[in-house]
Every structure is written in C-alpha cells, then in structure tokens.
C-alpha cells in the first residue's frame, strides 16, 4: 500500500473492539451495579430467589448457544432442547452415583471436572454428526428438520432406559463438587455456611461469565463476522472468502456444546429429567428469550433468559396474578406463556433488536436530550452527527435481504 | 391381512386429516410466501369452538362446524391484517417467529379456557359407529373424514381454477408484482388465503380429532398436528397436489408403523417419529421436497 | 473528463506477456435461456479491461462465472496458469480474486470497518477457539488488521464513516466502501460490477480516478462491467463488447467506438447502416 496521507481526525493506533463489552465507563458502572444487586440477592434474598437466579443463569448459557447458531449465524433451529438433553444424560451417566430407587439408572461417579466438559463435548459431537446433513437445508426446511430432532430425541430418550430412565425419568444426577466436598452436602468453608443453592450460584456466575466472554469474543473476531455475513447473504459471503460449510458447522458445534453444558447444569440443579423435559416448548422458550432479549447479542441472551424464565416465577411468588385467574386453575406458567407469546409478536413488530435494541434507543435518545440541554444547538448538532446513524438502522433484522436496501420506516 | 386393511384404512383417514392441514398451510404459502407455524393451533381453536358450540350451546354438528369455520377464518384474517401486514418485506426467520408466537398464544389461551374440564370431542357420528366388513371396521367418522377431504379438495380446485378470486390467488402466487400491476388487490387475496386456510384448519381439526377416537377434546391436537409438517415438506411447500399426496403418505406411514411396531425391536412410539424419518430421507435426496421448487438467492 | 483522458494517455501498452486470465468458449445456460454463448477473451496483468454491452447481454453472468457462482456448460477459464473452474466460490478469495457487488443491500447493519475486516477474512486465520480465547493470536490479528483497514479507509476517504452501518450511508459511499472491502485482501484481480451505477457525474469521475490509481499505483488487474460509456472509454485499456451473450468485438476503446457491429448492438440496425442526415425526418428507429 502506498503510505497513507494524514487524515483530519487522527485515529488511535489500535482501535477498541467495536462492541467491546466493557469499554465505556458507563458500561463498567452498570456492570458494577448489576453485580452489587446480584450480591445483595445472593446474601439476603433467601433460597428461593437464589434458586431462581441459578435457573436463569443456566438458561442464559443455553440462550447464548442458541444465539450463536440462530442469532449470529442465522440458522433457524428448534432443536436446542435436544442437545440440552444429550448433555444432561451424559452428565448423569458419567457423574451420577448410586440410583435413588429401583429403575433409576446408575452412574459412573466420575468427577465434576470430567462430567461437565464431557456433557458439552458429547452434545458437540452429535452436532458435528448431524451438521453436515442438516445445514445443507435452509430456512423452513432446516426448522422442520430441527423440529424432527426434538421428536427423534424424545423417542431415543424414552427407549434408552438404561441411561435415561425411560418415561419415569432419571433422578440420579451429580452435583458439582471437588473431591469430598459436593454441593449436595455442603460444608462450611472459611467459616461461611452456604446453602446448596448458594454454592450453585457461586459456580454458575463465573461459568456464565466465561461463556458470555467466549461468545462475545468470537462474535467480534473473524469467525463472528463470517457468521453474520453468512446470515445476511450466503452467496456474497462465500465470494468474500467465507467457507460456508466451515462457518455453519463451527456455529452448530459451539452452539451444541453450550447447550450440552446448560443441559447438564440444568439436570444437576433440578435433580430430575424425563424425556418430556427436553421438549419443543423448551426450545421455543429459548427462542423467545433471544428474540425478546436481543438477537446476536451477548447481553440480549442474558436479559432474554431473565425475562422468559425469571419473570414468571416472580409473578407467581409475588402473587401478581389476578385472583380470578388462579381459581380457574391457571398457573403462572400458563399466563407467562401468553405473556411471552404476545411479547414475541410485539417485539418482532416494533423492536426486532429486542430489549438490547430498546435500551440502545433509549440511551441514544437520552444522550441527544442531554446534549441539547447542555450546549444548545452546537452540542445537539454534534451529538446527532456523532450518532448520525439514524435510529431506525439500529434494528437488527435477521437474515437475508434480496435486493435494494430499504431503511425500515420509523 | 385384515390388520393390514384396517391399518390402510386408518392411515388414509388420518392422512386426509394431515392433507387438510397441509392444504391450509400451502394456500397461505402460495398466496403470501408466509410459513404459518400456527396452522396447528388454528386447528385447535377451530375444533375447540366446534366442541363448545356442540356441547355447551347444544347446536347440531353441521352448524357447530360452520361456526367454527367462521371463527377461525376471522382469526386468520385478523392476524393477517394486524400483524402480518406490518411485516411485509421482513426476512423469513422473523415471520416464522411471529407465527410461532401466535402458536404459543393460541395454544395457551385454549388451554386456559379448557381448564380442567375438556368438552367432548366433536364428531359427526358416535365413534363406535362403523360399517363392518368381515373383521375390518370402517368407522363412519373416518369415512366422513375422507369424503369431506375429497370435497374440500374438489371445492378448492374449482375455486382456484374457475373463479375470479381463485385466478387472482394463483396469479399472486406466481408473481406478486405482476399481479399488482394487473390491478389485483393483493390485500384481498391475502385475507382470502388466510380465511380459507383457517376454515380448512377447522375442518381438518374436527375430522382429525374424530378419527383419532378420542372421546374428549384434546389440547394436544395442535401438537399432534405437527406431524403434518413432514407431510408439508414431502409435498413441497407450494403444491396443492403435493399437500394431499404428502398428507396421505404420512398418514399411511404413521398408521402402518404404529400397527406393526409391537414386533419389538423398534421400541416404543417409533410411529411418532416415522413420519420425520421419512421426511429426512426425502430431504436428503430432494432438499426442496418432492414437488417443491428451488429458490434462487440474488447477490 | 480531460483529467481522466490525460492520465490514461499512455495506457495502450499497459503490459505485455502472459495473460493473467484466459477465457475460452464459455457458455452459460439456465431455464432455457442462453446467457453466454462461446465467449472468449484474455486479460493481461495490470490491465484495466472493460466489458460492455446492452442490458441483458450477459455481463453479470460472466462475472458470476468468474466468481464461481455459475457453472458454465462449456468452456474453460485459466487464471494464473490454473484452472479457475475447479474452484468453489469461497476459494476465489484465496486465489487473490475479489469482486464488488452490483446490489448493495446485503449487509445493511454491518459497519464500514467490520465490512472491510470481512474483506480481510481470507487473510486472517483465527477460528472459533482462538477467537473465543481472544488473548494472544486473535487479539494480535485483530489489531493488525484493524490498523490496516484504518489506513485503507483513509486512502479512500472513508475514515469518518468507520462505525456507520452500510445501510445508513448514501449510495455513492456504499459503493466506495464496497470497493474498499474488495481491495482489503490485496487481490491480484479485481472484478468491478458496475462501479459507477447510480452515481453522479462528479462521483463517477472520482471513482474513475481511483480505478486508475489502483492500476498505476497498486498494479492490480481490473475487469470492469459498466454501462457508463464515457467513463469506460476514458479509462479502459481494452474493451470487450457483449450482445445477447456473444462477444461481438474486442479491442482498444478507439476501435470499439468506431466498430459498426457495436453501434448496431447499441443503437439498432437502421441507424448503424444509415448515418442520420441533418434534418432528416422519418428515419425509422428500431424499438
């Protein structure tokens, strides 16, 4: 390249990653605040709430996996529940101890450091097996094949009774632990006594953080860019050098890995799984989570999981349900299903970028508002040219456009 | 031998139910390129309304059926107007998701309304009524199901072939812009498609439920209608003939595997996944279904 | 325009020696239409080669063959001594061939920087694992390539728009960003699909100057599909004319402009045979 001519606005020698997770001090502040809130709940919230948080965190890991495949790489999949099941049963088989009653399958009693990664790897291997066939299909056809996965999975889970316990289910799942210490029968450490749920919390938070960091990193490097290009226009992406097969397989495998881990943790947390646990509804809930939280976004996965899985419990616990509802035998689960069925529709209609997009909009709007207040015209002009990107372009519609670009109407 | 004939008969009856579901789906897709994941729940809602009309309002079967048809047609049109109109031009993933959202919504609403006391399953005849030939029972409900399916197909064919609106719908399916240029009111076509699909869904749901010999209305009806998806894929998304062929094939596969699976080695409930296995095999050879057409992506 | 002509004054003998790209007898057919019929031509290294022709002449089909999106039913393409037709679309980037797009609606939400980095895909290596860990090779690779893309943006006047999504840019800038993206992997052969379509006169002139810079300063071979006759004749070393899928003329711009076959293809038979007399009325024109 010829030497670059000096430009008007000097660029920093090496630029920050474009959506680096904690770049601005504002983001750091929010993160700190969030951690403090979590800490308070952890210490004083009571076991019920801690358990809700745990459940949410496990689902957030699954949501991250789903976002990798469907959000970033744009491959529709209804099959995530299947991979979670694979992970769960792998964990049970490798890590479980003695059966809890006749008919409950036994386990090999292996260490946590083996069964957790293995559950991810098992799911990833199956993903690698299925991938080449499934990923040849697109759109609706892929969706239905992944739907078929769920049913085939349930069939397999029902019939492989020695591992899954058949229709009566499996109760023999391991709890995490190191050596003699397990979460199931916790001992005080450094004089601190924690409940099983609190120990889980201390484990799940760093695991989620690790998963989030990993996915976020992949998203902002070469592979993540390739995935999004594949999502937006496959043919153009391949002309630019993206190997479509490798890209889709990579997404599928990573997604399955995370789903497997999440499944194992889920089973470990709840202590029970039947073949119907890994059903279509679970997949749909996770899809709802990423749609509501924000497609192709790490924070979106976490927020969405919180929304879909924690809010219904909150509604139930705080008896926010109308009294008449409970008399007809409506559960919190039912109402929340209506709730997020509606929300899927509403979000897709008005805010396809999900909660994350909503927050971004509010922020930009409040920044403009601040700028106007402080400096009058010049500041407002600067602020709006800084964020010249019209708000409407922030919407992250998924997948392929076939032709002239259209700015969605405001 | 008698088992075989019995299974074939049941398979055909079931297949007719699936064919109707697939038809409704195909009509929507042909007219507006939308993939309606909620088609199964349209069945559910329609059948539920028919059940309520028959047993709570004490209305005769035919009238109840008409009420159900009208109701689902209205729901279809309303959804199309309020939601789908605003999603024109959005990528397919988004639209599929919106229909999944509708699916969840409808399912939950019906579940809540049913509560703990489901009504009886609506059917034209008592489920025990049958014509018996030798050892084979030809259930009246099943026969009715097949006759109605044939009638619906004929009516649909006549509509598409011989009426103005049918022609308009076919034109829109081939090329929307050209149809617009010819002065065809696309909005009407869409509304019509969704309305027809809703109507067919109710008919399909009622007869599916009837031929399944369940005494009570089953909230899982919509989910069992998911088995229609392999039928849809087999037939290709946009072929009417394909929908019928696909539906009947899947019905036969389902019944035959269910009938013969007690010979052990295939385990429990193999028949539930047999349709999907058939579908996967077909997709391996023809990724766009047996009758479907390839899509071209432009750069 | 004079600036462009002056700069390209010495272009007739751009280079000599082995052609970089040799196309022989390419025929493309689909759905009963013959898009290309027995097209042959050769492009020399460092040349600015233009392909022109009326609408529907098959220019984009030709590009699609070269970028391996279409498979011809007959013919061969030799690139740098290798058989190009054996490559799959994603392999042409590895062969140092890059292409710009005619339609730019594909990636509306991608920022300019990310788009350029996407262009660097074939020159980068980190995958899921390295990318996920980030610290180490992936981070170094990111930094290096971001710096490179920053300089590339500066070269093309795009640095202001670094973080803007492509969809928010005016059309001319989108085209420029697409060109930057195609240049990002330092290709040997650049395929430009209607680079000035939709641009104003001034923007076209700017772009034409850029293409000449690319030729003279970077030595990249360019094949250009275009409708803008003035621009093409102003900067191209040699021109190929397609009509109804057939090659009807090939040569330097001056020859092409005078070629009766070419005139016939563009303007219709009657006019080609009878040069219009001043004030003549009733000259038949073809529809």
């Amino acid at each position: 390249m010829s030497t670059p001519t000096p430009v008007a606005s000097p660029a920093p020698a090496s630029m920050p990653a474009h959506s680096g997770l904690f770049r601005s001090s504002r983001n750091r502040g929010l993160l700190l605040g969030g951690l403090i809130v979590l800490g308070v709940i952890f210490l004083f919230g009571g076991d019920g709430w801690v358990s809700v948080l745990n459940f949410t965190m496990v689902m957030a890991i699954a949501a991250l996996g789903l976002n990798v495949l469907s959000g970033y790489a744009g491959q529709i999949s209804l099959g995530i529940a299947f991979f979670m099941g694979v992970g769960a049963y792998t964990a049970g088989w490798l890590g479980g101890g003695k059966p809890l009653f006749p008919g409950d399958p036994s386990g090999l009693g292996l260490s946590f450091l083996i069964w957790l990664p293995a559950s991810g790897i098992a799911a990833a291997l199956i993903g690698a097996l299925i991938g080449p066939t499934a990923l040849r299909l697109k759109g609706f056809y892929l969706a239905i094949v992944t739907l078929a996965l769920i049913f085939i999975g349930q069939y397999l889970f029902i019939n492989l009774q020695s591992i899954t316990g058949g229709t009566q289910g499996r109760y023999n799942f391991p709890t995490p632990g190191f050596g003699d210490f397990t979460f199931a029968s916790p001992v005080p450490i450094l004089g601190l006594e924690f409940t099983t749920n609190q120990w889980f919390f201390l484990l799940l938070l760093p695991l989620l953080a690790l998963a989030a960091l990993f996915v976020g990193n992949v998203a902002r490097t070469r592979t993540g860019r390739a995935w999004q290009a594949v999502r937006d226009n496959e043919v153009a992406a391949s002309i630019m050098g993206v190997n479509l097969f490798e890209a889709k397989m990579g997404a599928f495998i990573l997604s399955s890995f995370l789903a497997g881990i999440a499944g194992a943790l889920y089973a470990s947390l709840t202590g029970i799984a039947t073949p119907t646990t890994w059903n279509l509804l679970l997949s749909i809930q996770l899809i709802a989570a990423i749609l509501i939280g924000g497609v192709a976004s790490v924070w979106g996965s976490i927020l969405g999981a919180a929304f879909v899985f924690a809010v219904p419990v909150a509604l139930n616990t705080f008896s926010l349900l109308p009294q008449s509802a409970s008399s007809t035998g409506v559960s919190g689960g039912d109402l929340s299903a209506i709730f997020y069925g509606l929300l899927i529709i509403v979000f897709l209609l008005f805010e396809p970028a999900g909660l994350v997009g909503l927050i971004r909009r509010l922020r930009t709007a409040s920044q403009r508002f601040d700028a106007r207040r402080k400096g009058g015209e010049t500041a407002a002009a600067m602020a709006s040219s800084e964020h010249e990107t019209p708000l409407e372009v922030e919407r992250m519609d998924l997948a392929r456009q076939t032709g002239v670009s259209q700015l969605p109407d405001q | 031998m008698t088992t075989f004939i019995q299974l074939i008969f049941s398979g055909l009856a079931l297949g007719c139910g699936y064919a109707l579901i697939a038809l409704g789906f195909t009509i929507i897709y042909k007219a507006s390129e939308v993939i309606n994941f909620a088609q199964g729940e349209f069945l559910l809602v329609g059948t539920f309304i028919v059940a309520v009309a028959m047993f709570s309002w004490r209305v005769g079967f035919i009238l109840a059926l008409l009420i159900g048809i009208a109701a689902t047609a209205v729901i279809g049109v309303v959804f199309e107007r309020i939601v789908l109109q605003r999603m024109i031009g959005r990528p397919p993933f988004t639209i599929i998701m919106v229909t999944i959202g509708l699916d969840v919504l409808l399912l939950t609403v019906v579940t809540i309304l049913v509560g703990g006391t489901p009504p009886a399953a609506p059917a034209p005849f008592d489920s025990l009524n049958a014509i018996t030939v030798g050892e084979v029972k030809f259930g009246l409900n099943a026969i009715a199901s097949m006759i109605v399916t044939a009638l619906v197909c004929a009516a649909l064919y006549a509509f598409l072939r011989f009426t103005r609106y049918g022609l308009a719908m076919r034109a829109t399916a081939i090329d929307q812009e050209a149809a617009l240029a010819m002065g065809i009111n696309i909005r009407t076509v869409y509304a019509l498609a969704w309305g027809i699909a809703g109507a067919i869904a109710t008919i399909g749901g009622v007869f599916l439920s009837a031929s399944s010999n369940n005494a009570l209305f089953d909230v899982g009806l919509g989910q069992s209608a998911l088995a229609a998806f392999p039928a849809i894929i087999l037939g290709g998304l946009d072929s009417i003939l394909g929908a019928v062929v696909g539906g009947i094939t899947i019905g036969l596969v389902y019944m035959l595997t269910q009938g013969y699976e007690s010979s052990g080695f295939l385990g429990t409930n193999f028949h539930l996944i047999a349709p999907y296995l058939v579908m996967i095999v077909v997709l391996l050879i023809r990724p766009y279904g047996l009758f479907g057409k390839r899509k071209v992506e432009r750069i | 325009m004079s600036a462009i002509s002056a700069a390209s004054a010495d272009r007739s003998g751009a280079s000599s020696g082995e052609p970089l790209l040799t196309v022989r007898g390419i025929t493309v057919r689909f759905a009963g239409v013959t898009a290309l019929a027995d097209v042959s031509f050769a492009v020399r290294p460092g040349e600015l080669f233009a392909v022109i022709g009326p609408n529907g002449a098959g220019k984009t089909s030709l590009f699609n063959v070269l970028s391996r999106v279409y498979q011809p039913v007959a013919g061969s393409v030799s690139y740098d001594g290798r058989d190009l037709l054996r490559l799959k679309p994603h392999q042409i980037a590895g062969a140092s061939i890059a292409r710009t797009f005619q339609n730019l609606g594909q990636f509306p939400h991608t920022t300019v920087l990310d788009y350029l980095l996407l262009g660097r895909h074939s020159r980068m290596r980190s995958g899921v694992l390295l990318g996920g860990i980030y610290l180490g090779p992936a981070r170094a690779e990111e930094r290096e390539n971001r710096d490179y893309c920053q300089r590339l943006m500066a070269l093309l006047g795009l640095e202001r728009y670094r973080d803007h999504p492509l969809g928010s840019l005016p059309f001319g800038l989108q085209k420029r960003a697409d060109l930057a993206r195609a240049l990002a992997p330092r290709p040997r052969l650049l395929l430009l699909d209607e680079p000035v379509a939709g641009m104003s006169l001034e923007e076209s002139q700017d772009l034409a100057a850029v293409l000449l810079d690319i030729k003279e300063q970077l030595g990249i071979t360019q094949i250009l599909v275009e409708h803008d006759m003035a621009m093409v004749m102003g900067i191209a070393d040699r021109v190929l004319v397609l009509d109804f899928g057939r090659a009807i003329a090939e040569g330097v711009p001056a020859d092409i402009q005078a070629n009766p076959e070419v005139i016939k293809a563009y303007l219709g038979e009657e006019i080609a045979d009878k040069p219009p007399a001043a004030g003549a009325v009733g000259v038949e024109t073809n529809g």
Side-chain angles (χ1 to χ4, degrees):
Chain A
M1 283 319 260
S2 40
T3 47
T5 48
V7 293
S9 51
S14 80
M15 291 168 300
H18 108 99
S19 58
L21 296 170
F22 307 118
R23 285 304 146 185
S24 67
S25 54
R26 184 195 202 118
N27 277 342
R28 289 208 187 96
L30 279 174
L31 186 67
L32 199 57
L35 283 175
I36 294 180
V37 169
L38 281 180
V40 165
I41 300 182
F42 172 72
L43 291 172
F44 308 114
D47 217 42
W49 276 110
V50 176
S51 145
V52 169
L53 281 182
N54 288 342
F55 185 59
T56 307
M57 287 196 281
V58 170
M59 286 305 165
I61 296 180
L64 278 170
L66 186 60
N67 234 336
V68 161
L69 182 62
S70 300
Y72 289 104
Q75 307 300 304
I76 304 181
S77 172
L78 295 168
I80 189 163
F82 167 68
F83 290 104
M84 289 177 74
V86 170
Y89 291 124
T90 306
W93 177 49
L94 290 178
K98 296 209 182 66
L100 291 176
F101 54 81
D104 197 21
S106 60
L108 296 177
L110 298 175
S111 133
F112 167 66
L113 293 171
I114 295 187
W115 62 257
L116 189 62
S119 55
I121 293 175
L125 281 176
I126 299 209
L129 231 72
I130 301 179
T133 331
L135 294 170
R136 270 201 258 161
L137 306 164
K138 313 222 170 104
F140 175 65
Y141 300 95
L142 179 58
I144 299 302
V145 166
T146 55
L147 177 68
L149 256 187
I150 298 267
F151 294 127
I152 295 176
Q154 289 189 311
Y155 163 79
L156 290 172
F157 294 153
I158 290 180
N159 284 294
L160 292 172
Q161 292 177 345
S162 51
I163 302 183
T164 66
T167 37
Q168 80 176 9
R170 179 182 183 126
Y171 293 77
N172 183 8
F173 284 107
T175 44
F178 306 94
D180 285 329
F181 163 74
T182 76
F183 286 17
S185 46
V187 278
I189 296 270
L190 302 175
L192 290 169
E193 272 207 33
F194 288 132
T195 65
T196 304
N197 273 323
Q198 285 177 313
W199 279 112
F200 261 109
F201 182 93
L202 291 176
L203 172 72
L204 292 174
L205 192 56
L207 278 181
L208 175 60
L210 210 65
L213 218 59
F214 192 90
V215 172
N217 282 339
V218 178
R220 62 188 173 128
T221 55
R222 175 179 179 263
T223 310
R225 284 189 290 265
W227 284 344
Q228 298 190 72
V230 169
R231 176 194 71 201
D232 290 340
N233 191 308
E234 268 191 21
V235 180
S238 72
I239 292 181
M240 293 196 252
V242 175
N243 184 328
L244 295 180
F245 180 72
E246 270 178 26
K248 292 182 188 179
M249 280 296 286
F252 202 55
I253 292 178
L254 178 60
S255 166
S256 312
F257 179 81
L258 288 171
I261 301 261
L265 291 170
Y266 177 98
S268 177
L269 197 57
T270 57
I272 172 184
T274 65
T276 51
T277 309
W278 320 109
N279 60 6
L280 181 60
L281 187 62
L282 179 57
S283 285
I284 292 188
Q285 284 175 314
L286 285 165
I287 293 183
I290 67 171
L291 280 175
I292 293 174
V295 162
S297 154
V298 168
W299 279 112
S301 315
I302 299 176
L303 284 178
F307 209 88
V308 171
F309 296 103
V311 167
V313 180
L315 287 180
N316 241 344
T317 319
F318 290 119
S319 305
L320 289 175
L321 300 172
Q323 277 306 103
S324 54
S326 30
S327 62
T328 53
V330 175
S331 66
D334 284 337
L335 270 195
S336 62
I338 296 190
F339 193 43
Y340 64 72
L342 261 180
L343 273 177
I344 291 180
I345 298 181
V346 166
F347 266 97
L348 283 176
L349 273 182
F350 302 116
E351 184 52 89
L355 287 174
V356 165
L358 203 60
I359 293 176
R360 217 183 285 150
R361 278 214 218 192
L362 291 174
R363 254 201 220 166
T364 324
S366 81
Q367 274 170 346
R368 286 195 185 182
F369 182 68
D370 280 341
R372 262 192 209 110
R373 264 192 322 148
K374 282 183 195 146
E377 274 185 27
T378 7
M382 267 177 54
S384 53
S385 70
E386 189 79 89
H387 303 276
E388 200 166 271
T389 343
L391 287 175
E392 59 257 24
V393 191
E394 299 276 55
R395 291 188 188 192
M396 304 235 322
D397 272 357
L398 275 187
R400 305 95 155 218
Q401 305 228 0
T402 52
V404 180
S405 77
Q406 274 175 15
L407 290 182
D409 40 34
Q410 183 79 24
Chain B
M1 190 56 196
T2 47
T3 324
F4 183 69
I5 297 184
Q6 184 78 68
L7 289 174
I8 294 276
F9 176 72
S10 315
L12 284 176
L14 184 64
C16 285
Y18 288 148
L20 285 177
I21 301 176
L23 264 179
F25 192 92
T26 304
I27 297 237
I28 292 183
Y29 184 78
K30 268 179 98 73
S32 58
E33 297 231 319
V34 168
I35 298 196
N36 180 19
F37 247 89
Q39 193 68 10
E41 305 317 329
F42 276 25
L43 250 88
L44 187 69
V45 169
T47 312
F48 178 65
I49 293 181
V50 173
V52 164
M54 261 183 92
F55 302 114
S56 299
W57 304 342
R58 307 252 162 233
V59 164
F61 175 76
I62 302 223
L63 189 53
L65 190 60
L66 288 175
I67 295 178
I69 290 177
T72 35
V74 165
I75 294 182
V77 172
V78 164
F79 180 70
E80 199 275 322
R81 278 289 142 99
I82 297 189
V83 177
L84 287 178
Q85 289 266 299
R86 293 168 206 232
M87 304 206 66
I88 296 185
R90 297 281 206 90
F93 182 99
T94 317
I95 301 190
I96 293 185
M97 280 318 304
V98 156
T99 57
I100 290 186
L102 179 66
D103 182 277
V104 171
L105 200 57
L106 290 177
L107 175 59
T108 327
V109 166
V110 172
T111 311
I112 293 181
L113 289 177
V114 165
T117 52
F125 305 102
D126 182 4
S127 56
L128 296 174
N129 280 3
I131 302 176
T132 318
V133 175
E135 289 188 10
V136 184
K137 282 217 184 96
F138 296 96
L140 286 185
N141 279 331
I143 295 180
S145 172
M146 292 192 256
I147 295 181
V148 167
T149 304
L151 284 176
V152 168
C153 287
L156 209 54
Y157 178 77
F159 171 74
L160 286 175
R161 194 87 198 289
F162 301 120
T163 69
R164 264 178 61 220
Y165 277 110
L167 188 56
M169 213 182 277
R170 278 190 292 143
T172 314
I174 296 177
D175 187 334
Q176 274 187 24
E177 283 195 23
L180 258 177
M182 299 269 192
I184 292 179
N185 186 340
I186 302 283
R187 298 190 64 187
T188 311
V189 169
Y190 282 7
L192 208 52
W194 278 80
I196 293 181
I200 296 184
T202 301
I203 301 177
V206 166
F207 284 101
L208 199 65
S209 153
S211 64
S212 74
N213 291 328
N214 273 349
L216 290 179
F217 174 75
D218 177 18
V219 170
L221 186 62
Q223 299 289 294
S224 61
L226 282 177
F229 278 123
I232 294 167
I233 296 229
L234 222 64
L237 282 183
D238 49 8
S239 158
I240 303 252
L241 175 64
V244 176
V245 169
I248 296 193
T249 311
I250 293 297
L252 286 171
V253 165
Y254 187 95
M255 277 302 172
L256 286 171
T257 44
Q258 183 177 41
Y260 288 123
E261 76 186 357
S262 34
S263 39
F265 78 102
L266 283 175
T268 343
N269 287 347
F270 181 74
H271 63 281
L272 290 179
I273 63 167
Y276 289 98
L277 293 176
V278 169
M279 175 192 85
I280 290 179
V281 167
V282 170
L283 283 178
L284 282 177
I285 314 173
R286 307 197 56 155
Y288 289 92
L290 286 175
F291 296 81
K293 294 183 220 116
R294 210 157 206 286
K295 286 244 154 209
V296 183
E297 205 172 331
R298 302 188 164 278
I299 46 166
Chain C
M1 285 320 285
S2 55
I4 296 179
S5 317
S8 50
D10 68 341
R11 64 183 189 231
S12 51
S15 60
S16 43
E18 280 300 304
L20 180 62
L21 183 78
T22 312
V23 175
R24 286 198 192 91
I26 289 293
T27 304
V28 173
R29 253 182 239 133
F30 42 66
V33 177
T34 304
L36 290 173
D38 199 27
V39 172
S40 305
F41 60 94
V43 179
R44 305 191 198 113
E47 209 176 8
L48 208 163
F49 188 89
V51 177
I52 65 174
N55 270 325
K59 310 187 291 292
T60 302
S61 300
L62 182 61
F63 262 22
N64 284 339
V65 170
L66 293 178
S67 27
R68 305 305 304 113
V69 176
Y70 287 173
Q71 188 68 9
V73 298
S76 71
V77 180
S78 159
Y79 170 75
D80 199 23
R82 297 182 273 174
D83 180 5
L84 188 66
L85 294 182
R86 298 178 111 227
L87 295 185
K88 297 214 195 91
H90 71 267
Q91 292 171 313
I92 63 166
S96 281
I97 301 179
R99 174 190 171 164
T100 64
F101 299 115
Q102 199 178 27
N103 296 324
L104 290 179
Q106 303 102 342
F107 306 106
H109 308 294
T110 313
T111 63
V112 173
L113 174 61
D114 278 339
Y115 193 48
L116 263 56
L117 284 169
L118 191 54
R120 294 287 300 164
H121 182 92
S122 56
R123 304 293 183 233
M124 295 170 71
R125 288 180 41 230
S126 59
V128 173
L129 217 49
L130 285 178
I133 298 173
Y134 193 66
L135 301 169
R139 180 162 67 168
E141 189 179 69
E142 283 293 301
R143 285 214 176 116
E144 203 180 293
N145 283 280
R146 279 168 192 273
D147 286 347
Y148 175 89
C149 290
Q150 180 76 7
R151 284 181 269 133
L152 182 55
M153 284 189 281
L155 213 65
L156 286 165
L158 289 166
E159 67 279 2
R160 265 194 76 211
Y161 306 98
R162 187 187 83 191
D163 295 321
H164 290 214
L166 289 177
S168 72
L169 296 178
F171 186 70
L173 279 175
Q174 288 188 31
K175 283 259 174 185
R176 223 194 297 170
D178 196 36
L179 180 62
R181 186 270 311 151
L183 286 174
R186 304 172 86 135
R188 282 183 66 191
L189 174 61
L190 185 56
L191 305 172
L192 296 143
D193 200 344
E194 303 204 19
V196 298
M199 282 189 179
S200 67
L201 181 59
E202 198 181 308
E203 287 174 322
S204 314
Q205 290 180 331
D206 283 344
L207 194 95
V210 170
L211 295 186
L212 284 175
D213 281 343
I214 291 175
K215 172 185 148 181
E216 277 146 26
Q217 295 181 21
L218 302 178
I220 297 179
T221 311
Q222 297 170 85
I223 303 182
L224 175 66
V225 153
E226 227 345 299
H227 279 299
D228 184 341
M229 226 36 67
M231 182 240 190
V232 164
M233 298 305 172
I235 63 171
D237 295 323
R238 287 189 307 127
V239 178
L240 172 75
V241 186
L242 294 179
D243 189 27
F244 289 113
R246 294 195 167 277
I248 61 174
E250 182 185 335
V252 299
D255 294 342
I256 295 295
Q257 276 168 313
N259 186 319
E261 294 294 316
V262 173
I263 299 174
K264 196 188 296 190
Y266 271 99
L267 298 175
E269 214 157 309
E270 303 284 342
I271 295 203
D273 292 340
K274 296 189 218 156
V281 172
V283 173
E284 274 182 311
T285 48
N286 279 346

